[in-house]
Amino acid sequence: MNDKDKPDRLTQETGHALYNIFSTIRANAELVIEDNNPDAKSLQRLQRVMQACRRGEELVRRARDSSSLHPVSLETAAGTIRQGGKVLVVDDEQAIADLISRYLGKAGVTAIPFSDSREALQRFLQQPGEFSLVITDYDMPDLNGIEFAALLYRKAPGLPVILISGDGGDLSRVQIAESGIISIMDKPIERETLLDVVCNLLPEQCQL
């Protein structure tokens, strides 16, 4: 095979898009099963779709060969978080933001999704006390997750932020600490993992 015939290495942008595609399909299949109680044949088909998406997610992970960030401990933050507020969810893929918000809603947590980080920032600045938690994607246009979190931190230093990342890059713990980030979760996001983290932080609001 000539060099020109060889496939290019998966770029960060393409990998990010593929993650979102596989995750959206899989998550919607899960919600269809949950909401519609399909018959055995339909259930089997949906499970095959979910299995194929998981394989795709794993292939993307291997192809990107990205280094994962280690989660930051939640132990000191969980007991100091203000309860009763909403969760601000930001992802440049609207479908992902909506799915995360739906996951939280089914657990009794009110979430407001945004696909534009600038719009999310403006919404937050209108009434910072409305929110108890922020969940944001890392790889976004205009403001990435770290930049977005840092701007929130200036206005509300005690506001906890969960960063979702398919590619953690070379973020330092100083950057993380100065942005109010208390947890970093790898993509693709599993509903159970997400709810475990959120309910640990907002135990008074979760209804699992």
Side-chain angles (χ1 to χ4, degrees):
M1 180 182 295
N2 297 326
D3 288 342
K4 66 178 181 179
D5 296 325
K6 294 180 181 179
D8 292 335
R9 182 173 180 175
L10 192 63
T11 65
Q12 180 176 348
E13 182 179 357
T14 302
H16 179 69
L18 286 173
Y19 258 129
N20 286 338
I21 291 169
F22 286 128
S23 296
T24 300
I25 295 172
R26 177 174 57 82
N28 275 287
E30 291 174 352
L31 292 173
V32 168
I33 293 173
E34 183 176 307
D35 293 345
N36 296 281
N37 191 27
D39 58 50
K41 188 173 183 179
S42 297
L43 176 61
Q44 186 179 45
R45 288 174 176 171
L46 287 166
Q47 288 174 333
R48 287 175 178 171
V49 170
M50 292 162 57
Q51 184 179 30
C53 287
R54 288 193 178 95
R55 289 175 181 169
E57 290 166 348
E58 179 60 28
L59 287 173
V60 172
R61 183 184 297 111
R62 292 179 182 177
R64 293 177 71 181
D65 192 27
S66 60
S67 58
S68 297
L69 285 166
H70 298 292
V72 180
S73 173
L74 301 173
E75 294 178 1
T76 57
T80 61
I81 293 175
R82 183 180 67 82
Q83 303 293 307
K86 299 174 183 177
V87 177
L88 183 63
V89 178
V90 188
D91 193 299
D92 59 309
E93 292 287 342
Q94 187 67 55
I96 299 296
D98 289 341
L99 280 168
I100 292 175
S101 297
R102 186 171 179 183
Y103 286 162
L104 297 178
K106 284 182 171 292
V109 178
T110 301
I112 301 180
F114 281 89
S115 60
D116 186 300
S117 55
R118 289 286 183 186
E119 291 181 3
L121 178 62
Q122 291 302 315
R123 177 67 172 82
F124 174 81
L125 293 176
Q126 291 173 6
Q127 196 172 352
E130 181 180 7
F131 300 98
S132 290
L133 177 66
V134 175
I135 300 175
T136 180
D137 187 28
Y138 170 65
D139 187 8
M140 298 187 293
D142 199 2
L143 291 175
N144 66 33
I146 288 290
E147 294 167 339
F148 175 69
L151 291 173
L152 299 183
Y153 188 77
R154 295 177 188 175
K155 183 68 176 181
L159 180 71
V161 177
I162 296 173
L163 183 70
I164 298 174
S165 176
D167 181 5
D170 57 354
L171 297 179
S172 69
R173 288 193 173 271
V174 173
Q175 287 179 295
I176 293 169
E178 292 180 346
S179 303
I181 294 170
I182 61 171
S183 181
I184 300 172
M185 302 180 66
D186 292 330
K187 282 188 174 183
I189 292 295
E190 297 289 344
R191 176 166 53 175
E192 294 76 11
T193 303
L194 174 69
L195 293 181
D196 281 347
V197 173
V198 172
C199 290
N200 184 24
L201 296 170
L202 304 175
E204 296 181 11
Q205 294 168 245
C206 279
Q207 302 171 7
L208 293 179

